[in-house]
Amino acid sequence: MENRGKKIERMYYILAGILLVGFLFSYFSKGIKDYFVPKLKTFNYQVRTRILKQEDFYTNYTKNQAIVGDTIYFVPALKYEDFCLYAYNTKNKTLEMITKNWVNQVEAYEGIVYFRDVKDTLYRLNPKNKSIEKLFDNCADFQIVDNKIAYLNSENRNVILYDISNKTNIDLKIYPHKFLYMGDVIYYYFTDESSYIYEMNIKDKTYKTYRLQDPILNLMYYNGYFYTSVGNIKIVCFNNKFEKLWEIADQNRGIELSKILKGRVYYYSLSNREIERVLMSVDLEGKNPREELKVNGITYNNVEFIVEGNKDYIYDIKNKKKYEFPGIKPILFYYPDKKEIDTLQGYRMVKANNKLFYSDYVKLIEHKLGSDDGDRVFISNNLKNIFVKDLKAVGGNLFFYGGQLYSFDIDSNTPNLVTNILTNRMFVDGDTIYIFSITNLYRIYNNKIERLLENAWVLYIGNGKIYYYPNENGITNGTKIMVLDIKTNKTEEIKNDGVYLSEILYINDKNIYYVEGNNLCVYNFETKEKNILHSNLLFFDGCLVSNEKIFFIEINDNGKFKIKCLNINTNKLSTVVEDIGCINSYLYDEKQKKLYYTISDYYKVLEVDVK
């Protein structure tokens, strides 16, 4: 018994020694770890355990709505063909336009509205006194966390941290395409290798790299988990080490992540037809899907646009409230007085007196005929980030569009914003400007703007008539051409026997000259006959009609550009300019029998005689 007692006593001593050694090892190893990586461990603990409110989530989706108090600040966007910033007071049911210029992004933080305009300038709006303050330029994207703004510099493409309190900047010295800012940590990636995500600790500049199975476009974070859309194919949930936990997909419809609210992950279910969009949701485990509502457009915030009974509503997802939408109206901000200046219209080029104005798709450029001074490029803050996609002359003034329609005063060299309506294409017939926006056509005439057509695809405007395909149930009907006579306001249908006119070059009383595949064709209204005038032509662009001549640009397999001319009387096709670089603009002067043209990255007007 005595020996057995001593054995038990020795066993207790051994166990006590093991516990003591384990305690000491744990204590000292913890101290060693803290000595070498104290910030990293503390950082990981703080970020991973940050618990957000049920309606809060981090996201790098570009939002264009924000709610402050009883007011919804929003950009109507594509649904209403308007990218200005508006404020809708849900209590008083009043709508107010905040900005005339295009706004690309809207966020709310601590009762203040922050917005980024088309010129990449960041502003903040105080809703109480309605004052607007400019913060800084060159902001291509931004996110606000902990009284700091992380933004992507549009010039150098680096991420900068702006402290709202003391207005100081810190360059994070990273140059990503996309990022997700979460206070002490920032995640970033590149769209060309977006299956990699990089994690940066802002405090101690330590980094981690994660490799995913699929490339991603955007990223969200909510209470320890990351969510992302893989194209429009599926939605994936990851843990904090970017290990995949679950995914959802729909073989018949596309899906896109939207927001996370009150323990539900919201996403859009998309069909091939743009008008069909359904907001769905699943729980945080990717289960229990349910349909929330049908929506008109895509947003990434708590506000959705819906239609019920032919009425538009703003729907607050968070509070489950809907408000009747007052509607967005076209507004004419400015229209210049007519000037006695002789102008000649070209393709992205205008002749005004002894000057040529032309566009390289980005800038507006002036060339003085007969001068060796070189061409003058108009670059100013007013034209920053505004692409000069087309250039027309009306009443001695220039007009161009780059998202919105602008006029340009030739004498003072200043641009002015004309209207709030999004401009996709611009037509001119006489002294009237027509702008095509999404599926609607507007007319600017006699210092007013009005909508002429809804749900249509405009083909051609000339001689007081508008030719278009009707939009039926969300689909463009290319089997019939409708013609609206502006003077009589009457509409008639042209039977085209199923001939789909993809690119119309010119229409007169008898014929339509158009492009079909690689063929230049003519269709006769009276005989209902289609004839191929010239075949084996390649890519068409830049049509210009002058008297009995139709000019257009052709691009061959080697990327060389040509300017060709079709004589309407003889149907003979000739080459005016052959095998040259990218042609940006050109103009034909019938009196001088000259064709002026420009090529990319060469600010000089070239010319050639036309017989």
Side-chain angles (χ1 to χ4, degrees), residues 294-311:
K294 289 181 172 61
V295 299
N296 241 337
I298 291 180
T299 69
Y300 305 105
N301 211 327
N302 301 348
V303 174
E304 297 285 351
F305 297 104
I306 64 174
V307 177
E308 293 181 359
N310 294 324
K311 288 187 177 181

Side-chain angles (χ1 to χ4, degrees), residues 29-42:
S29 64
K30 180 179 182 298
I32 292 171
K33 287 181 180 179
D34 285 345
Y35 180 80
F36 285 105
V37 285
K39 293 181 181 179
L40 180 61
K41 286 309 229 180
T42 302

Side-chain angles (χ1 to χ4, degrees), residues 176-188:
H177 294 156
K178 301 283 289 184
F179 68 91
L180 178 64
Y181 175 53
M182 293 170 51
D184 293 337
V185 62
I186 187 169
Y187 295 86
Y188 61 96

Side-chain angles (χ1 to χ4, degrees), residues 566-577:
L566 175 71
N567 188 302
I568 297 176
N569 294 325
T570 63
N571 287 332
K572 181 181 178 181
L573 186 67
S574 60
T575 300
V576 181
V577 178

Side-chain angles (χ1 to χ4, degrees), residues 97-151:
M97 175 184 279
I98 303 299
T99 68
K100 292 182 178 180
N101 288 316
W102 191 308
V103 171
N104 285 331
Q105 188 175 358
V106 183
E107 298 271 3
Y109 181 77
E110 300 293 335
I112 301 296
V113 179
Y114 294 79
F115 63 91
R116 174 174 62 91
D117 71 0
V118 68
K119 301 172 188 176
D120 284 346
T121 300
L122 186 66
Y123 298 87
R124 64 180 174 187
L125 165 69
N126 188 329
K128 293 182 179 180
N129 57 24
K130 297 185 179 181
S131 62
I132 297 178
E133 177 189 1
K134 176 183 173 181
L135 293 181
F136 47 79
D137 295 315
N138 302 321
C139 176
D141 186 18
F142 73 96
Q143 297 160 35
I144 309 174
V145 177
D146 294 341
N147 214 39
K148 293 182 177 62
I149 302 174
Y151 72 96

Side-chain angles (χ1 to χ4, degrees), residues 389-390 392 400-405 421-428 433-442 456-461 466-469 502-504:
K389 294 184 178 180
D390 199 358
K392 304 288 188 185
F400 67 91
Y401 72 91
Q404 290 176 292
L405 181 65
I421 297 299
L422 168 69
T423 303
N424 290 126
R425 285 187 292 160
M426 175 172 53
F427 302 88
V428 171
I433 298 177
Y434 299 86
I435 58 174
F436 182 68
S437 180
I438 313 299
T439 58
N440 298 326
L441 181 70
Y442 297 83
W457 180 259
V458 178
L459 297 168
Y460 184 86
I461 299 178
I466 301 172
Y467 301 79
Y468 65 95
Y469 286 139
S502 60
E503 182 71 25
I504 291 181

Side-chain angles (χ1 to χ4, degrees), residues 510-512 522-531:
K510 294 182 180 180
N511 299 312
I512 297 181
V522 62
Y523 179 82
N524 188 283
F525 291 128
E526 297 176 353
T527 63
K528 310 298 181 185
E529 293 181 351
K530 164 193 167 184
N531 290 308

Side-chain angles (χ1 to χ4, degrees), residues 305-320:
F305 297 104
I306 64 174
V307 177
E308 293 181 359
N310 294 324
K311 288 187 177 181
D312 293 345
Y313 294 90
I314 300 176
Y315 189 79
D316 185 347
I317 295 289
K318 175 184 172 183
N319 298 311
K320 304 294 182 184

